[in-house]
Amino acid sequence: MKKMLLLVTHGMMLLIGFATGIYLLPILTQPPAPDDKMVGRVASQALFTGQFQPDLKGSDALHYGDGTLYVSNAMISFSGSISPGPDYRLYLSPEFVETKADFLAKKSVMKQVGEVKTFDNFIVTLPDDIDPAVYNTAIVWCEAFGIFITAGKYQ
């Protein structure tokens, strides 16, 4: 009985440690976030603005975004915070989505524009072949775990 209790408690601690490591690793390895001046430079050239809101249907206490999105022809910047996590990607969509199911149903018409590597502010350079005016929504998606993080309609 004592061995079983030790096995269960040690197994639980191992699981908690692993989960904590997955959560903390992106925070510890993120590059320096762009400051408000850098985000402001993109914002001054923005054709569109939008909001990431933490209360979307597909967001929760561990997966959310809260702040303002600025979209220019060359870059997308964000002033605010998103929940930390690994392998975040920024997508543009022609339709607003706010859940994982919606995202997966519409993914074929979306464009992945880049990686999101910082969690307090970010700037993503748009590939030359993407016209942001063709889309109306920016989405942060965790590619590694297939988790919806947040979305914001910008036009």
Side-chain angles (χ1 to χ4, degrees), residues 81-107:
S81 64
I82 56 175
S83 59
D87 201 22
Y88 281 3
R89 306 299 168 97
L90 186 68
Y91 283 82
L92 296 183
S93 172
E95 293 180 47
F96 182 72
V97 300
E98 64 177 316
T99 65
K100 177 180 179 175
D102 293 345
F103 177 86
L104 294 173
K106 307 277 190 224
K107 191 174 181 182

Side-chain angles (χ1 to χ4, degrees), residues 8-141:
V8 169
T9 58
H10 283 72
M12 287 176 54
M13 292 310 295
L14 180 64
L15 184 61
I16 290 169
F18 181 74
T20 302
I22 286 176
Y23 180 78
L24 289 177
L25 186 62
I27 296 169
L28 296 172
T29 61
Q30 73 175 319
D35 61 25
D36 291 336
K37 269 186 169 178
M38 294 170 72
V39 171
R41 278 189 231 127
V42 177
S44 70
Q45 300 172 10
L47 303 171
F48 310 104
T49 61
Q51 292 291 315
F52 282 161
Q53 297 177 355
D55 58 353
L56 298 177
K57 288 181 192 175
S59 298
D60 59 34
L62 295 176
H63 310 101
Y64 63 88
D66 190 9
T68 304
L69 190 66
Y70 303 98
V71 181
S72 74
N73 278 327
M75 294 181 185
I76 296 177
S77 69
F78 173 70
S79 176
S81 64
I82 56 175
S83 59
D87 201 22
Y88 281 3
R89 306 299 168 97
L90 186 68
Y91 283 82
L92 296 183
S93 172
E95 293 180 47
F96 182 72
V97 300
E98 64 177 316
T99 65
K100 177 180 179 175
D102 293 345
F103 177 86
L104 294 173
K106 307 277 190 224
K107 191 174 181 182
S108 65
V109 296
M110 295 180 189
K111 289 287 185 183
Q112 184 183 138
V113 296
E115 295 181 70
V116 175
K117 297 182 178 184
T118 57
F119 311 115
D120 291 318
N121 298 349
F122 67 74
I123 297 174
V124 174
T125 302
L126 291 173
D128 293 335
D129 64 336
I130 293 181
D131 177 5
V134 173
Y135 304 94
N136 70 12
T137 301
I139 301 155
V140 177
W141 174 259

